[in-house]
Amino acid sequence: MNFVSSIVLVDIALLAMLGVVAVAIIRLKSLFAIVMLSGVYSLVSATWFVAMDAVDVAFTEAAVGAGISTALMLGAMLLTARRVKTPDKAGARRWGPFLAVFATGGLLIFASTDLPAFGDPNSPANSYVGKDYIERTPSEVGPPNIVTAVLASYRGFDTFGETVVIFAAGVAVALLIGFGERALAFSGQRSVTPEPVSPDDHHMVLRVVSKLLIPLIALYAFYVQFHGDYGPGGGFQAGVIFAVAVILNALIFGLSETMDAVPAGAARAGAAFGVLLYGGVGVVNLLNGGAFLDYDYLFETPAPGSYDPHHWGQHFGILLVELGVLATVASTMIVIFYAFAGRAPEIRDEDW
Amino acid sequence: MSWFAEYLWAPAALADHAAALIVAAPLIAAAAVAMAPNGRFAWVMTLATAGFCFWMALSLAGDIGRDGLVSYALGGWAPPMGIEFRADALNAMILLLIGMIAVLACIFSLPAVEREVRAEKRPLFYSAFLICLAGLLGMTITGDAFNLFVFLEISSISTYVLVALGASRDRRALPSAFNYLIMGTIGATFFVIGVGFLYAATGTLNMADIAARIAVMEENRAVHAGFAFIVVGLGLKAAMYPLHQWLPGAYAYAPSFVTVFLSATATKAAFYALVRFLFSVFNPQTFPFAETLLVWVLAPLAGIAIVACSFQAAFQTDVRRILAYSSVAQVGYMLLGVATGTALGLSAGMFHLLNHSLMKGALFMAIGGAALYAPCSKLTDLAGAGKKAPWTMSAFAVAGLSLIGFPLTAGFLSKWRLLEASLDVGWMWAVAIIGLASVLAAIYVGRVLEAAFFREAPEGGPDIREAPLLVLAPLWTLAIMNIWFGIDSSLPLGLAQAGADAVFSGVYALTGSAP
Amino acid sequence: MPDYVLSHYNYWVVIVLMMVGLYIVFESGNLIKRLVGLSIFQTSVFLLYISLGKVAGGTAPILIGGGHGGDKSHGGDESHGAEGAHAVEAVDAHAGGHGGAHDAAHGAEHAAEILYSNPLPHVLILTAIVVGVATLSVGLAISVRIREAYGSVENDEIRAADISLGEAEETAA
Amino acid sequence: MADIAAFFAHWAEPLRVWLGTALALAGGVLVTIGAVGVLRFPDFYTRLHAASVTDTMGATLLLLGMALLAGWSLVTFKLALIWMFLFLTSPTASHAAANAAHTAGLEPIVGRWRGDDKSEDGA
Amino acid sequence: MLIAAAVAVVVSMALMLARAIMGPTLYDRVLAVNSFGTKTVLLMGLLGFLTGRPDFLDIALLYALINFVATIAILKFFRYRSFQIPLSGRGVGGSDG
């Protein structure tokens, strides 16, 4: 079986599913169903990314879009609402969106007629800078995973910015809904163990299994981290996985217990540390006489004309930078989860 | 241009990397500030960082004054492969503006933030401010289209939360911030779509490289659509009429320090990016459709913005909303200048941009200062404020006159130059609109001044007091600039002129490397 | 014409998805649903970018053969740099020898002939995904605060609450 | 002994590939049957039954097939891990969903099924 | 022949999706989405073999993990209406789902 055509088949099937999911979301009123389907949407697009050879993207989308986003939306729903209300008035509200959307769509279709054919290896996008990266990475940076090389070295400043975006999200959520400090107060109020809802409400299997799994997940996070040079993965994905381990712990063993083990303050420090580490690598390069984030200058100023076949500077630069990303992403995700999970519902906004 | 160099001297080691440091320093400092033990300490660090950024901006401006262009390859990777920071005189002007406003706003922030933000949140608040500052500086200096998106989002995300923090005073800050988030994200995503189309057509993300490559593609529909998406996306961020709906709410309900900083910088950075794409990436001389867009879309929109939003401002009862609507109208002025498509018009628009930052910064700062001890911004609340807080409100009056365009103020000169630019291309309607809008400005500023100076304070009104020195110092710095530049406009006009000349002489373009 | 459709259908589907996402944002009055629409819109834009970077017959941009994609001396080695290649080993590969695990599903091909998909859109979209989740979390945090302040996350009800508040203030003044 | 070794060397490789493919195919068929059941069965509890039973077995077969195809490498290990996760998830999820539905008061259809189940999304 | 297995998995995904969209109860959706996730994991694995690079199973592995955590999160969402309380065999809160 010709695998190119099989990929086309999968491509069409997945795109069709995406369309069905998206249209279904328009009609649905149950927020829970909407959130579930948006998770499905992310998941299907992640699968599609795999079919399109974008394994790193698929990795991130599966972890972030299908995992973290869904968890956050569920957490937010606990604090807000569970159904969408039907608006009283229609009319103008109906047609405005239609017009805006169709204008946008029309412009997009207009543009698409001049886009290069799908899969064209000679399109400008695939033949200029993109191709250069593939050809030059082995001799200039080193890692087999070109996405890692581009992400951390060629376009390292983008990634620095991206780390800061995540950090900013953590700062924003902490400023808006706190660090989950209310969880501690909440559990303090309920020091008496509450009555079980029903006799079959026990989860011994889950507890035992999770206890086994959580260290394994953390280990897997480090595998993804250090394997990022050779396969899909890297700091972001590893950070998310690490956060998932903590989130699982919180879900099974309780939030305040988890906050004793991984305090919010430590997570905050971790997030800041990641940004400082990333920026610090850049500053070290500056001090050694290179440009900001030029990892060739990580250890010393290279002699003019010298060539390091091992790319030690690049290698360790990428390693350190990805560690910074790991620290920030993992810590920020934990902070955000604490913030949402730790906010007791229906508390009026008396502070500030 | 040599008059730049004498301003401040930075050691070569710093000056060589000023382009990277001006963005990296606040990013790194933001992380450090988030760990600061208390608000005071965080404030000192923030002020130091803002000062450092201003210093680097001066140093960069000096370099640009000497060489015309600064290009910095991040990571040591030559441009199309790596990210480039590329700055000519136009960038230099905006960087200087943002740096200066950041320092002044930061001084103002100490008393303001202590009133409006809870103690344990202050370090994080300053951290968010620094992230926002870094985002704006990054947007201004970067020469890479996708990197621009990253910085756009850095500044946006921190802006959303800074606006939402106004909820401690008025809960309407929250829906405003949410609307801003939705609109801003749609705008940023439109920008990404546009960049995607340009990338599909050219295979590169470096703005100068894109410019060189699309110069031979004036018929490519993907390029046309990409252009449209970029203009809409950046227009949303720059509050270009009719994409400005997020602005009044966001400015009216944000904490006063945030409003001061944002009103003077945020839309300006986005406006710069818009100008950069309009003139340096899509050159109207090679792209007939770019010129069509300028004359037939942007110019009328600018005219409508000026009139409609001035009217709306005249009917508001809340001073901060008056000023917010006036901001949209002022963006219209800048756009009008830019839409003429001439060097004169561009310099007029940029000159007005500088002046508008000075006056809006001062106006919002004065309102924030006067209402420091009693959060209020209704017109009726301000009755008699001129007597209770003479220094604060007279600074407001100075900046207000500048906003109207009163002779001997900076606002007068920039409006004058806009008139010249309009006459130069024969737009009589623009002259009429500027005249009409000045009358409207006189009305809405006059309403505030009338309330503040010619009405008696009501019994039991809000506790308006003279602002402390930390407010008055930056406030009067701005107010004096408004007068100074109204008398001797050589500095701001020189900056604007240099920026416009740089754009039109194609300093930004790649030299000798046509594809 | 069929050729044209076959080479562009991807873009059109993606465009329809973007329109649906955008429509949800505009149409819905529920803040959470709007955020869902926003993330669908953004995800669809990601699909557009990845479509641009796909090379027909290409494979994921992870060099086969431990780091020397263009080097024929161990092109036939065909190991996934992934397996068994610890950092030290990979460095050895630069020097020459490389003994990784073998790949049964794949015949020996010359590394030089392997087509890779374009890595640049992947990098950009990685960044954009992260930016998207950051925006989403801030948006959710704001809607939680809105719920606490207004008791609702429906646009209409929030507006109504503000209008009634505004009127109350007007009459009081 | 040498005979046996040669025999294995000769047959093991194609056998492995064929067996792997066949197992994967069987898994695929099983999964599809389960999905049809989930779509066609009248109420939640019967659907749950269809999904949980076939999911676990189908996934096991598919993963086993893939493991055979991959040969002995890190891939096998990862497949084993995936299997472990799925094996844990499916029953847990089914249990959790059934438990939640039951406590929420969703009644199973007992006796003859007549027409569509019209219960709405309970929030 | 692997492609046939992949097609079977895709078909079952489509059927599950139909159930997830149709509902009619929330529990049907949970069931369908969870099962959909399982199938996606399998499809990702098969895609690895189809494209000849099975070493990208990490994605499937990751999603299997996420699916596990998501299931627990949904369980807590329904049964406890909170992410705070430990799953100690004793729960609190509403039982109306």
Side-chain angles (χ1 to χ4, degrees):
Chain A
M1 185 62 84
N2 178 358
F3 87 71
V4 174
S5 73
S6 74
I7 290 297
V8 170
L9 219 64
V10 171
D11 170 39
I12 293 175
L14 291 177
L15 284 177
M17 276 188 217
L18 286 177
V20 171
V21 173
V23 172
I25 289 178
I26 298 183
R27 307 291 309 162
L28 282 169
K29 294 284 174 214
S30 157
L31 263 187
F32 181 79
I34 291 171
V35 168
M36 285 289 100
L37 283 185
S38 99
V40 167
Y41 191 89
S42 283
L43 184 53
V44 176
S45 34
T47 318
W48 186 83
F49 290 144
V50 177
M52 292 292 118
D53 304 332
V55 280
D56 275 282
V57 179
F59 213 151
T60 316
E61 180 70 31
V64 169
I68 293 286
S69 299
T70 310
L72 289 184
M73 286 197 207
L74 285 178
M77 272 173 65
L78 285 172
L79 302 174
T80 53
R82 302 183 63 178
R83 284 191 72 80
V84 176
K85 290 196 179 123
T86 327
D88 308 330
K89 57 176 165 80
R93 197 162 163 192
R94 266 256 146 71
W95 288 105
F98 259 118
L99 281 179
V101 167
F102 276 96
T104 313
L107 193 54
L108 284 164
I109 299 270
F110 168 77
S112 75
T113 52
D114 259 1
L115 284 180
F118 175 61
D120 179 6
N122 299 317
S123 70
N126 294 338
S127 58
Y128 181 35
V129 178
K131 200 172 173 201
D132 283 357
Y133 285 129
I134 296 170
E135 282 165 1
R136 286 165 59 177
T137 293
S139 63
E140 289 183 350
V141 183
N145 187 350
I146 300 169
V147 173
T148 301
V150 179
L151 187 85
S153 189
Y154 288 112
R155 295 186 69 85
F157 206 77
D158 259 1
T159 310
F160 186 33
E162 183 185 354
T163 313
V164 173
V165 167
I166 279 289
F167 178 73
V171 168
V173 172
L175 273 173
L176 284 167
I177 55 177
F179 281 107
E181 55 277 89
R182 282 172 181 171
L184 301 171
F186 188 65
S187 68
Q189 287 163 16
R190 293 175 182 265
S191 50
V192 185
T193 316
E195 288 299 305
V197 177
S198 70
D200 42 49
D201 199 29
H202 52 80
H203 298 279
M204 198 40 98
V205 175
L206 273 184
R207 284 177 70 91
V208 172
V209 167
S210 303
K211 199 147 227 164
L212 273 172
L213 275 181
I214 288 165
L216 267 182
I217 297 173
L219 206 63
Y220 179 56
F222 285 106
Y223 165 78
V224 170
Q225 168 81 25
F226 294 109
H227 196 252
D229 281 6
Y230 308 102
F236 282 104
Q237 294 92 335
V240 171
I241 295 171
F242 194 83
V244 163
V246 175
I247 290 173
L248 179 62
N249 195 65
L251 288 175
I252 302 277
F253 301 106
L255 186 63
S256 40
E257 285 82 351
T258 309
M259 287 176 77
D260 289 341
V262 185
R268 176 183 177 170
F273 168 75
V275 175
L276 290 176
L277 180 59
Y278 205 133
V281 170
V283 171
V284 167
N285 300 325
L286 274 189
L287 294 179
N288 281 336
F292 193 74
L293 294 177
D294 187 346
Y295 309 133
D296 286 333
Y297 290 78
L298 186 62
F299 299 117
E300 63 207 343
T301 310
S306 72
Y307 175 72
D308 173 14
H310 296 295
H311 310 293
W312 284 118
Q314 292 287 343
H315 193 88
F316 281 95
I318 291 176
L319 191 79
L320 286 174
V321 157
E322 293 263 15
L323 271 178
V325 174
L326 169 86
T328 299
V329 171
S331 312
T332 306
M333 292 300 163
I334 292 169
V335 164
I336 293 178
F337 177 78
Y338 282 175
F340 278 100
R343 199 157 178 100
E346 298 298 339
I347 289 184
R348 292 295 301 188
D349 199 57
E350 73 280 17
D351 50 351
W352 302 81
Chain B
M1 294 299 294
S2 60
W3 44 267
F4 269 131
E6 67 205 52
Y7 273 83
L8 250 165
W9 169 86
L14 275 178
D16 285 351
H17 297 290
L21 285 173
I22 195 173
V23 182
L27 286 179
I28 296 171
V33 166
M35 297 308 298
N38 59 47
R40 285 284 167 123
F41 195 73
W43 177 75
V44 171
M45 287 164 78
T46 307
L47 185 60
T49 313
F52 181 77
C53 288
F54 187 38
W55 185 29
M56 288 297 107
L58 284 167
S59 159
L60 268 175
D63 285 356
I64 291 167
R66 195 179 58 239
D67 307 333
L69 181 81
V70 165
S71 164
Y72 188 92
L74 284 153
W77 302 112
M81 300 278 284
I83 292 171
E84 183 195 17
F85 279 178
R86 197 172 177 87
D88 65 9
L90 188 66
N91 306 66
M93 170 194 134
I94 305 284
L95 290 172
L96 279 174
L97 174 72
I98 295 176
M100 185 193 75
I101 297 284
V103 172
L104 293 178
C106 198
I107 296 170
F108 166 72
S109 76
L110 185 68
V113 167
E114 278 181 1
R115 293 267 148 198
E116 295 176 3
V117 181
R118 273 197 322 192
E120 74 269 22
K121 305 228 167 187
R122 278 176 213 152
L124 287 181
F125 180 89
Y126 282 113
S127 176
F129 163 68
L130 277 178
I131 293 172
C132 183
L133 172 64
L136 295 174
L137 290 169
M139 265 174 84
T140 308
I141 198 171
T142 187
D144 186 282
F146 198 83
N147 196 238
L148 178 65
F149 161 72
V150 173
F151 282 116
L152 186 71
E153 283 290 21
I154 288 180
S155 68
S156 299
I157 286 181
S158 43
T159 308
Y160 306 145
V161 62
L162 288 174
V163 169
L165 286 178
S168 57
R169 204 187 40 185
D170 189 330
R171 66 175 180 175
R172 280 173 287 181
L174 293 168
S176 301
F178 191 87
N179 274 344
Y180 186 15
L181 182 135
I182 296 277
M183 301 281 280
T185 309
I186 290 177
T189 311
F190 269 38
F191 179 77
V192 173
I193 295 174
V195 171
F197 284 147
L198 293 188
Y199 174 66
T202 62
T204 179
L205 291 164
N206 185 280
M207 276 148 59
D209 203 14
I210 291 176
R213 285 171 170 260
I214 57 173
V216 292
M217 296 185 188
E218 65 263 36
E219 290 303 312
N220 190 311
R221 279 172 286 207
V223 171
H224 289 210
F227 180 60
F229 276 106
I230 287 175
V231 169
V232 172
L234 290 175
L236 246 165
K237 284 287 176 188
M240 191 174 84
Y241 191 90
L243 307 168
H244 68 282
Q245 270 93 352
W246 57 268
L247 188 140
Y251 282 11
Y253 304 121
S256 54
F257 155 62
V258 174
T259 306
V260 168
F261 180 67
L262 290 183
S263 68
T265 55
T267 53
K268 311 297 182 281
F271 192 81
Y272 150 78
L274 188 63
V275 168
R276 181 57 82 200
F277 270 94
L278 281 172
F279 287 98
S280 294
V281 178
F282 298 91
N283 192 336
Q285 271 125 35
T286 46
F287 282 93
F289 75 89
E291 203 187 344
T292 314
L293 183 109
L294 281 179
V295 176
W296 293 106
V297 180
L298 294 187
L301 282 181
I304 298 171
I306 295 172
V307 177
C309 290
S310 296
F311 261 112
Q312 272 173 300
F315 286 105
Q316 299 298 319
T317 55
D318 182 303
V319 180
R320 290 169 60 143
R321 284 188 84 90
I322 292 177
L323 297 178
Y325 275 107
S326 147
S327 278
V328 184
Q330 306 296 320
V331 173
Y333 282 111
M334 299 167 211
L335 200 60
L336 184 70
V338 169
T340 59
T342 60
L344 180 64
L346 183 58
S347 73
M350 285 295 148
F351 184 30
H352 195 67
L353 183 149
L354 280 179
N355 288 340
H356 177 239
S357 285
L358 301 180
M359 43 201 177
K360 269 296 147 56
L363 288 168
F364 276 116
M365 208 182 269
I367 289 297
L372 199 59
Y373 302 98
C376 66
S377 57
K378 290 219 167 286
L379 265 180
T380 46
D381 293 338
L382 283 178
K387 288 206 185 68
K388 291 186 200 164
W391 283 100
T392 317
M393 289 317 286
S394 46
F396 184 95
V398 168
L401 291 177
S402 180
L403 186 63
I404 299 170
F406 202 74
L408 291 184
T409 60
F412 174 73
L413 289 181
S414 56
K415 276 191 184 168
W416 186 256
R417 203 162 169 84
L418 279 169
L419 284 177
E420 280 180 36
S422 312
L423 286 174
D424 184 47
V425 288
W427 290 356
M428 289 312 290
W429 58 270
V431 177
I433 279 177
I434 292 175
L436 174 62
S438 297
V439 175
L440 288 169
I443 292 173
Y444 61 70
V445 173
R447 287 178 70 204
V448 184
L449 294 182
E450 191 255 349
F453 288 100
F454 301 111
R455 263 196 236 160
E456 285 304 315
E459 281 300 310
D463 176 23
I464 289 173
R465 270 187 257 162
E466 190 67 87
L469 189 64
L470 278 176
V471 175
L472 286 179
L475 175 59
W476 270 98
T477 312
L478 287 172
I480 288 171
M481 278 185 178
N482 268 307
I483 299 174
W484 180 310
F485 295 153
I487 296 163
D488 172 19
S489 66
S490 60
L491 177 66
L493 192 57
L495 283 169
Q497 193 98 52
D501 288 347
V503 167
F504 276 86
S505 59
V507 174
Y508 200 76
L510 292 182
T511 42
S513 66
Chain C
M1 192 61 193
D3 262 8
Y4 185 74
V5 172
L6 212 59
S7 63
H8 283 76
Y9 75 92
N10 240 36
Y11 301 127
W12 296 333
V13 177
V14 168
I15 287 168
V16 171
L17 293 176
M18 282 188 212
M19 288 165 68
V20 173
L22 206 54
Y23 180 74
I24 296 172
V25 181
F26 286 144
E27 172 262 2
S28 180
N30 182 291
L31 304 187
I32 306 234
K33 191 170 176 184
R34 296 184 83 182
L35 287 174
V36 169
L38 204 58
S39 77
I40 287 181
F41 179 45
Q42 288 178 317
T43 309
S44 314
V45 177
F46 305 160
L47 301 182
L48 174 74
Y49 266 74
I50 300 297
S51 296
L52 291 174
K54 170 73 182 164
V55 172
T59 182
I62 297 177
L63 298 181
I64 296 169
H68 273 203
D71 193 337
K72 295 192 182 186
S73 65
H74 26 242
D77 189 323
E78 235 320 58
S79 63
H80 354 110
E83 318 315 1
H86 303 291
V88 185
E89 234 174 310
V91 171
D92 283 344
H94 289 288
H98 182 283
H102 76 138
D103 183 350
H106 223 70
E109 273 176 343
H110 263 287
E113 290 159 11
I114 297 173
L115 264 182
Y116 294 102
S117 283
N118 186 351
L120 184 53
H122 301 182
V123 174
L124 304 181
I125 291 317
L126 269 177
T127 309
I129 289 176
V130 174
V131 170
V133 74
T135 315
L136 178 74
S137 54
V138 176
L140 287 174
I142 295 178
S143 28
V144 166
R145 291 289 308 275
I146 289 180
R147 170 70 172 74
E148 288 173 355
Y150 288 85
S152 168
V153 285
E154 298 287 335
N155 240 350
D156 292 347
E157 294 177 10
I158 294 166
R159 204 171 296 137
D162 268 345
I163 289 170
S164 63
L165 180 84
E167 276 168 359
E169 273 182 10
E170 292 297 313
T171 48
Chain D
M1 284 306 276
D3 276 7
I4 296 168
F7 177 82
F8 269 109
H10 188 250
W11 287 108
E13 192 61 24
L15 193 70
R16 186 174 65 87
V17 173
W18 276 107
L19 200 62
T21 315
L23 281 176
L25 205 58
V29 170
L30 202 60
V31 162
T32 315
I33 293 173
V36 172
V38 170
L39 199 66
R40 296 289 301 153
F41 278 173
D43 79 332
F44 170 70
Y45 295 99
T46 45
R47 286 176 204 139
L48 182 74
H49 177 76
S52 56
V53 172
T54 53
D55 253 18
T56 316
M57 192 61 198
T60 308
L61 285 179
L62 264 163
L63 292 173
L64 207 59
M66 282 191 253
L68 278 175
L69 284 177
W72 194 248
S73 65
L74 187 67
V75 174
T76 330
F77 178 66
K78 284 181 191 167
L79 285 167
L81 271 180
I82 292 175
W83 178 79
M84 191 180 76
F85 273 122
L86 291 184
F87 197 75
L88 284 174
T89 318
S90 283
T92 312
S94 308
H95 171 77
N99 190 335
H102 182 66
T103 30
L106 185 69
E107 292 294 330
I109 296 178
V110 185
R112 269 185 76 84
W113 177 56
R114 301 190 253 332
D116 246 325
D117 176 23
K118 285 290 180 200
S119 53
E120 247 296 283
D121 260 354
Chain E
M1 287 315 283
L2 265 189
I3 181 75
V7 167
V9 173
V10 169
V11 168
S12 67
M13 279 167 77
L15 296 176
M16 282 300 174
L17 195 57
R19 180 47 76 200
I21 291 169
M22 280 158 47
T25 65
L26 287 178
Y27 310 105
D28 285 293
R29 298 191 206 280
V30 174
L31 167 73
V33 168
N34 179 62
S35 183
F36 185 89
T38 309
K39 273 145 196 131
T40 315
V41 170
L42 298 173
L43 181 65
M44 281 177 180
L46 284 173
L47 275 178
F49 283 88
L50 282 174
T51 52
R53 305 203 57 183
D55 41 324
F56 301 147
L57 271 176
D58 298 80
I59 302 156
L61 179 53
L62 169 80
Y63 192 71
L65 163 71
I66 296 259
N67 208 17
F68 177 69
V69 179
T71 304
I72 295 171
I74 291 168
L75 164 77
K76 296 203 70 171
F77 183 85
F78 276 126
R79 295 282 287 131
Y80 306 97
R81 295 192 157 189
S82 162
F83 285 162
Q84 294 175 12
I85 305 132
L87 267 184
S88 61
R90 283 151 188 280
V92 288
S95 56
D96 55 340

